[in-house]
Amino acid sequence: MRTTFHLRTLAVAIATLSVASMTNAAGLDRSGQDITAFLQDGTYAEAVYTYIDADVSGYDSSNNDPFNNNYVRGNKTGDIAESYDFFRYGVKTDINDTFSIGILYDEPFGASAEYKGDNNFVANTNPVDSAGEFANDPAPNNPVDGATTAALEPFIIGAENGTSGETTKVEVRSESVTAILGMKFGANKNFQVYGGPVAQRIQADTALRGLAYGLATGYTSHMSPDMDYGYIAGMSFSKPEIALKAALTYRSEIDHNADTFESYPLAQVIGGAATPPRAIPASQTGKIEVTTPKSVNFDFQTGINPTTLATAKVRWVPWSDFVLTPPLYNEASQASGRYGDDGLNLVEYDDDQWQVELGLAKRIAPALAISGTVGWDSGAGDPTTSLGPVDGYYSVGLGAKYNVTENWAVSAGGKYLWFGDAQGQLPTGKIVGDFQDNDGYVAGVKLSYQAR
């Protein structure tokens, strides 16, 4: 016999992808670090699969002078966003009417992008024109920097030849396991405080290729997998008779100190040209410090009538605090004498991320509910890194949940996203790409079990 949806359980019918972030929509955000599995009644378990496919394309800059920041539209980049998928799991149970425990797994942060084709993000075997200068080189109009550029051309060309045909690409993966203990209190057990430890693993690979990166062309880094720990803390309120639930959740920063390998073909040239000259290796192993950002999530739902539920989700992540500073890359930028004593970070963002999503869920049959969402993501600033040139998005989504049995249900959903236009910027401040009118979609499926 099919079960009937009760008002207070309609939240589970919301589309699978409720707070799913999009490829580089804001910083490295991916899963949205959703904890709503822990907020369900009774014993609950879910497994969620999410697939992301985006079209992020634009134009490179035909200005190949590394010391001239003017953007001049050049060649098409093609689609740089690689398809991306990840999983989320959660299980939760009540020990008694006061205490609950749960374990959640997700993949909170990530990136996947690669430039291909005929553009300045791909190493070229012949990156000069018939006059022996960089193609579209603006140096003749800039005598001071033009002279510097001319002196460096043989080295940049040499590095290009050494990586001929190789592409600029980035791959970041992370995994997170969160253990939660909750305690209900109040006359009707309406309030709950919860918290627990978080274990997080992260790894990354980056390759910079092509004339767009100037002296950094040929740079490669590999950050080995590193595990470290943080915590989660939150508070919730519920009023079952009107299906009201509200939860505010804080996740801490997590500091990583990972083994890393870097290769920088032109680092020795940069060091040799410094005043006084500095001995900088072309490659090295060492440590890199990476701090994944803290976050705050607010989840809210309330019944509108016996078959309809309204939801709201808000997420804040201070990406403006995030930096990625590989040691060799930073040392070479210091030696150049152009970027101060602190040198350059490889990745940084200007703005914090705000994400808002509003939804409605409606029971349309005893065992079937549908949901719709609209969303907005602020992005993390424009210009932004050339490794993820998207400035937020708007989204619309649809989802459905079908109760297969009294306890088991399957949900499916999708979102369409309109990305904010962004310019791709190097750490030096040079604009090397312009990306407009891009979009993408997210699709996912969830299998869930609930027993009260």
Side-chain angles (χ1 to χ4, degrees):
M1 179 177 179
R2 302 296 186 197
T3 188
T4 299
F5 277 91
H6 299 288
L7 180 60
R8 67 180 184 176
T9 64
L10 270 175
V12 188
I14 298 301
T16 299
L17 310 168
S18 288
V19 191
S21 292
M22 186 49 217
T23 296
N24 285 328
L28 303 174
D29 213 20
R30 283 296 173 274
S31 71
Q33 298 181 296
D34 186 38
I35 66 130
T36 52
F38 180 75
L39 302 176
Q40 302 305 316
D41 298 323
T43 296
Y44 178 81
E46 69 177 21
V48 182
Y49 171 76
T50 302
Y51 176 83
I52 298 169
D53 193 358
D55 182 353
V56 179
S57 59
Y59 294 86
D60 68 8
S61 176
S62 61
N63 171 10
N64 292 317
D65 183 344
F67 307 122
N68 183 324
N69 290 350
N70 293 329
Y71 174 77
V72 181
R73 174 176 281 198
N75 295 331
K76 291 183 178 181
T77 66
D79 182 11
I80 72 167
E82 300 283 282
S83 60
Y84 194 95
D85 62 356
F86 58 88
F87 290 90
R88 187 175 80 237
Y89 306 102
V91 61
K92 172 262 177 186
T93 192
D94 296 328
I95 299 173
N96 51 41
D97 64 352
T98 298
F99 293 100
S100 302
I101 57 173
I103 296 178
L104 308 176
Y105 167 89
D106 74 340
E107 301 178 31
F109 306 112
S112 185
E114 182 176 7
Y115 288 85
K116 300 176 182 177
D118 181 16
N119 58 73
N120 286 333
F121 300 97
V122 177
N124 192 337
T125 56
N126 185 28
V128 295
D129 58 25
S130 59
E133 301 291 335
F134 286 136
N136 303 307
D137 193 347
N141 299 319
N142 188 345
V144 176
D145 280 343
T148 305
T149 303
L152 294 173
E153 280 184 11
F155 300 104
I156 299 176
I157 293 169
E160 283 284 280
N161 288 334
T163 57
S164 174
E166 294 184 9
T167 61
T168 293
K169 54 188 173 182
V170 59
E171 182 78 22
V172 179
R173 284 280 184 175
S174 67
E175 298 174 282
S176 178
V177 176
T178 303
I180 309 179
L181 173 65
M183 183 183 74
K184 297 182 178 71
F185 62 96
N188 298 312
K189 305 291 187 180
N190 294 115
F191 293 92
Q192 179 178 217
V193 292
Y194 52 88
V198 178
Q200 185 184 91
R201 181 178 182 268
I202 190 167
Q203 65 185 85
D205 289 279
T206 303
L208 306 182
R209 301 293 186 267
L211 295 177
Y213 294 99
L215 292 173
T217 187
Y219 175 82
T220 303
S221 68
H222 169 69
M223 187 179 82
S224 299
D226 182 77
M227 177 80 78
D228 225 304
Y229 306 91
Y231 66 89
I232 186 175
M235 184 174 185
S236 66
F237 172 77
S238 65
K239 194 172 183 179
E241 55 269 30
I242 61 170
L244 188 151
K245 287 184 180 180
L248 188 66
T249 307
Y250 171 84
R251 284 182 179 268
S252 72
E253 296 179 339
I254 297 182
D255 297 324
H256 294 269
N257 190 23
D259 293 328
T260 186
F261 167 79
E262 295 177 84
S263 174
Y264 198 143
L266 295 181
Q268 293 175 321
V269 174
I270 297 171
T275 306
R278 296 172 59 170
I280 302 177
S283 64
Q284 70 177 31
T285 57
K287 293 284 189 177
I288 184 171
E289 296 180 357
V290 180
T291 299
T292 55
K294 59 190 174 185
S295 64
V296 177
N297 281 18
F298 176 69
D299 296 276
F300 177 83
Q301 69 169 66
T302 188
I304 297 177
N305 59 49
T307 62
T308 307
L309 189 77
T311 64
K313 294 176 178 288
V314 181
R315 176 169 167 80
W316 171 77
V317 186
W319 283 108
S320 60
D321 295 339
F322 178 85
V323 295
L324 183 65
T325 314
L328 180 56
Y329 181 92
N330 181 254
E331 184 180 1
S333 68
Q334 291 178 30
S336 73
R338 290 176 171 269
Y339 310 111
D341 294 337
D342 294 332
L344 297 174
N345 304 307
L346 179 60
V347 177
E348 60 185 331
Y349 301 98
D350 291 333
D351 298 335
D352 295 344
Q353 172 196 12
W354 284 93
Q355 189 180 68
V356 180
E357 185 173 80
L358 305 176
L360 283 175
K362 175 74 174 179
R363 185 191 60 168
I364 59 174
L368 178 64
I370 60 173
S371 62
T373 62
V374 294
W376 168 77
D377 187 298
S378 67
D382 176 30
T384 188
T385 171
S386 62
L387 301 177
V390 168
D391 186 28
Y393 62 78
Y394 290 93
S395 70
V396 294
L398 292 174
K401 180 198 174 188
Y402 182 72
N403 275 26
V404 180
T405 69
E406 182 178 356
N407 302 116
W408 289 93
V410 61
S411 305
K415 284 183 182 177
Y416 183 78
L417 303 104
W418 295 267
F419 299 134
D421 298 342
Q423 290 188 310
Q425 184 181 53
L426 301 187
T428 62
K430 180 179 175 66
I431 302 297
V432 291
D434 187 38
F435 299 82
Q436 299 183 18
D437 302 323
N438 291 311
D439 58 8
Y441 69 88
V442 188
V445 62
K446 173 168 66 178
L447 179 66
S448 60
Y449 171 88
Q450 188 165 25
R452 299 173 184 82

